[in-house]
């Protein structure tokens, strides 16, 4: 059978094997080429490409994806900081119009923020205001970058320098309804940032100025009975809510703010969950709240049954938190009557008082004034 196919030529010459008929190797480095270089040249090449002002957004996104893949070890993160990666990343996160580039830039900043040198470089490049502004456009990645600061003592101190702007932005994020942009992960990262900031006195005061207690109560309500109820990682969010409330409730100025936000009602509901860490922090928050005179009766009214159940349980740490809460609340006579109704006499002596009941403090005693007797006139 006759074949009419074209002639097939086989050649082992490089010019024939290479698919590109142009010059196979450039004589100089291609500055705007996005490629992963080998060895020590990998990070400097990508940082130099990202610093180019006229690079198309799709190539920037490609370079950022390669960079995020390389930032997997502390050595690479430190080398990226040394090559000056923080300033171009901050510039892209604030000025680039492409959503994917901004998200990838914030993710890279979150990786750099996990080392001290990276945090210092981000602060030096004015990155904290950039990340604060990015909480409304790329909330999940920007909150993750701030979370990287909050988990360390030096990073939390740097966040507290900008607390006047960061705390209101976090409260605004946590108040948003859930949608593809404002996810549960974004809320969890924002709460982790607040948890790190409220470890200090200045952070708690900034949280009180920003209305954080009311925001935490509303967020917990959404998790217990609202739009976040069926999320897969809900317990992590509720644990962070309880931890933040614990740190605020143990502050002298935070007790009144938590009482006004009716935090005791939410904390009482958190005690009924089957999650030990959430219960532990909720009981500790109630312990700090029970010191305040105005909260003692409400704590026993809403959380008394759950606290007594924890006191009778086998977990020593939870039982200790519950006992201290009930003992502090029982200084008030009305709260003491509630405790006596929930506990028998032997349980009060063994679990609560560990001996005879103490005397009621003078501020909580009943003062009875009898009218002065005046003998009748004859």
């Amino acid at each position: 059978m006759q074949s009419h196919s074209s002639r097939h030529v086989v050649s082992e010459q490089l010019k024939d094997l290479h698919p590109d008929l142009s010059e196979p190797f450039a004589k100089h480095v291609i500055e705007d080429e996005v490629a992963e270089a080998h060895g020590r040249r990998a990070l400097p090449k990508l940082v130099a490409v990202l610093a180019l002002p006229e690079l198309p957004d799709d190539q920037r996104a490609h370079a950022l994806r390669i960079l995020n893949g390389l930032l997997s070890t502390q050595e690479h993160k430190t080398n990226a900081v040394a090559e000056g990666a923080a300033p171009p990343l901050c510039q892209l996160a604030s000025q680039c119009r492409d959503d994917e580039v901004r998200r990838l830039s914030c993710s890279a900043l979150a990786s750099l923020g996990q080392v001290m040198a990276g945090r210092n470089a981000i602060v030096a490049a004015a990155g904290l205001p950039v990340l604060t502004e990015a909480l409304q456009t790329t909330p999940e990645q920007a909150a993750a970058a701030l979370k990287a600061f909050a988990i360390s003592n030096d990073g939390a101190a740097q966040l507290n320098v900008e607390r006047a702007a960061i705390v209101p932005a976090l409260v605004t994020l946590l108040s948003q309804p859930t949608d593809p942009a404002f996810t549960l992960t974004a809320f969890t990262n924002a709460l982790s940032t607040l948890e790190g900031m409220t470890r200090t006195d200045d952070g708690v005061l900034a949280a009180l100025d920003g209305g954080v207690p009311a925001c935490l109560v509303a967020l917990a309500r959404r998790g217990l009975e609202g739009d976040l109820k069926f999320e897969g990682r809900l317990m992590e969010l509720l644990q962070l809510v309880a931890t933040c409330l614990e740190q605020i409730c143990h502050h002298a100025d935070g007790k009144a703010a938590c009482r006004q936000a009716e935090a005791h009602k939410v904390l009482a509901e958190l005690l009924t969950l089957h999650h030990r860490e959430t219960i532990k922090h909720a009981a500790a928050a109630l312990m700090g709240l029970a010191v305040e005179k105005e909260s003692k009766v409400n704590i026993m009214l809403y959380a008394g049954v759950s606290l007594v159940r924890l006191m009778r349980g086998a977990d020593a740490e939870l039982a200790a938190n519950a006992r201290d809460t009930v003992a502090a609340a029982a200084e008030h006579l009305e709260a003491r009557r509630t405790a006596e109704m929930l506990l028998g006499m032997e349980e009060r002596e063994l679990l609560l008082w560990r001996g005879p009941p103490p005397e009621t403090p003078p501020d909580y005693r009943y003062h009875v004034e009898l009218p002065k007797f005046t003998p009748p006139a004859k």
Side-chain angles (χ1 to χ4, degrees):
M1 181 177 178
Q2 187 178 4
S3 174
H4 297 281
S5 62
S6 60
R7 186 177 57 175
H8 179 66
V9 179
V10 178
S11 173
E12 297 296 332
Q13 298 295 325
L14 179 60
K15 65 182 181 60
D16 298 323
L17 293 177
H18 200 277
D20 189 0
L21 297 179
S22 62
E23 290 293 333
F25 302 107
K27 296 180 180 180
H28 305 286
V29 176
I30 304 175
E31 294 184 357
D32 59 350
E33 180 186 16
V34 179
E36 182 178 350
H38 293 283
R40 292 179 296 177
R41 178 63 184 156
L43 290 171
K45 170 64 176 174
L46 292 172
V47 172
V49 169
L50 291 173
L52 295 175
E54 302 298 332
L55 192 69
D57 289 338
D58 57 343
Q59 295 189 36
R60 281 174 177 163
H62 181 42
L64 285 168
R65 282 191 290 269
I66 298 175
L67 178 63
N68 284 328
L70 292 175
L71 297 178
S72 58
T73 64
Q74 285 190 340
E75 181 181 3
H76 287 167
K77 295 169 187 175
T78 305
N79 291 339
V81 173
E83 295 296 335
L89 289 174
C90 292
Q91 185 176 4
L92 290 176
S94 62
Q95 299 180 8
C96 186
R97 297 181 180 180
D98 188 75
D99 293 337
E100 185 179 9
V101 172
R102 292 200 303 270
R103 287 195 298 268
L104 292 171
S105 299
C106 290
S107 297
L109 289 173
S111 297
L112 297 183
Q114 294 175 2
V115 295
M116 180 181 292
R119 294 189 290 271
N120 294 334
I122 293 172
V123 172
L128 289 181
V130 170
L131 293 173
T132 302
E133 185 179 355
L135 286 174
Q136 306 306 319
T137 56
T138 56
E140 184 174 328
Q141 292 76 17
L146 294 176
K147 174 186 174 181
F149 276 79
I151 60 178
S152 62
N153 292 332
D154 64 292
Q158 291 168 333
L159 289 179
N160 278 324
V161 175
E162 303 287 341
R163 60 185 179 273
I166 294 177
V167 172
L170 291 173
V171 171
T172 302
L173 190 156
L174 293 173
S175 303
Q176 298 293 331
T178 53
D179 61 20
F182 297 95
T183 61
L184 184 70
T185 303
F187 296 154
T188 303
N189 291 338
L191 281 174
S192 298
T193 305
L194 283 175
E195 188 270 333
M197 295 182 68
T198 52
R199 294 183 196 143
T200 63
D201 185 77
D202 291 337
V204 172
L205 294 177
L208 296 179
D209 293 337
V212 171
C215 175
L216 294 175
V217 171
L219 188 63
R221 287 291 180 199
R222 292 171 60 186
L224 292 171
E225 55 193 32
D227 57 338
L228 300 176
K229 183 175 182 180
F230 299 104
E231 293 286 346
R233 298 174 55 192
L234 176 61
M235 286 303 168
E236 181 181 358
L237 181 137
L238 294 178
Q239 176 185 339
L240 289 170
V241 169
T243 304
C244 292
L245 286 175
E246 173 191 355
Q247 293 173 169
I248 296 175
C249 286
H250 282 267
H251 191 274
D253 296 333
K255 302 180 192 301
C258 290
R259 171 173 49 82
Q260 294 171 1
E262 296 185 336
H264 56 275
K265 296 181 180 180
V266 165
L267 292 171
E269 294 186 41
L270 295 180
L271 293 179
T272 63
L273 300 177
H274 298 284
H275 191 258
R276 183 185 182 279
E277 292 301 315
T278 302
I279 295 173
K280 181 181 75 172
H281 291 292
L286 287 172
M287 184 198 313
L289 202 58
V291 177
E292 190 188 37
K293 179 179 180 180
E294 292 81 1
S295 300
K296 296 179 183 294
V297 177
N298 289 330
I299 287 176
M300 288 305 301
L301 180 63
Y302 288 95
V305 175
S306 298
L307 291 171
V308 169
R309 175 178 54 81
L310 293 176
M311 290 172 58
R312 293 168 175 164
D315 194 313
E317 187 176 8
L318 298 182
N321 287 350
R323 178 202 169 274
D324 292 341
T325 304
V326 175
E331 292 178 346
H332 197 289
L333 289 178
E334 294 184 20
R336 178 174 292 195
R337 280 199 295 269
T338 304
E340 290 175 350
M341 288 188 294
L342 297 173
L343 291 167
M345 184 176 297
E346 293 184 359
E347 288 182 318
R348 291 200 296 270
E349 293 183 357
L350 294 176
L351 298 179
L352 181 58
W353 310 124
R354 296 177 182 174
E359 293 185 1
T360 306
D363 291 344
Y364 302 100
R365 296 176 185 173
Y366 290 126
H367 298 280
V368 179
E369 295 184 1
L370 297 176
K372 186 178 180 180
F373 174 74
T374 302
K378 295 183 180 179

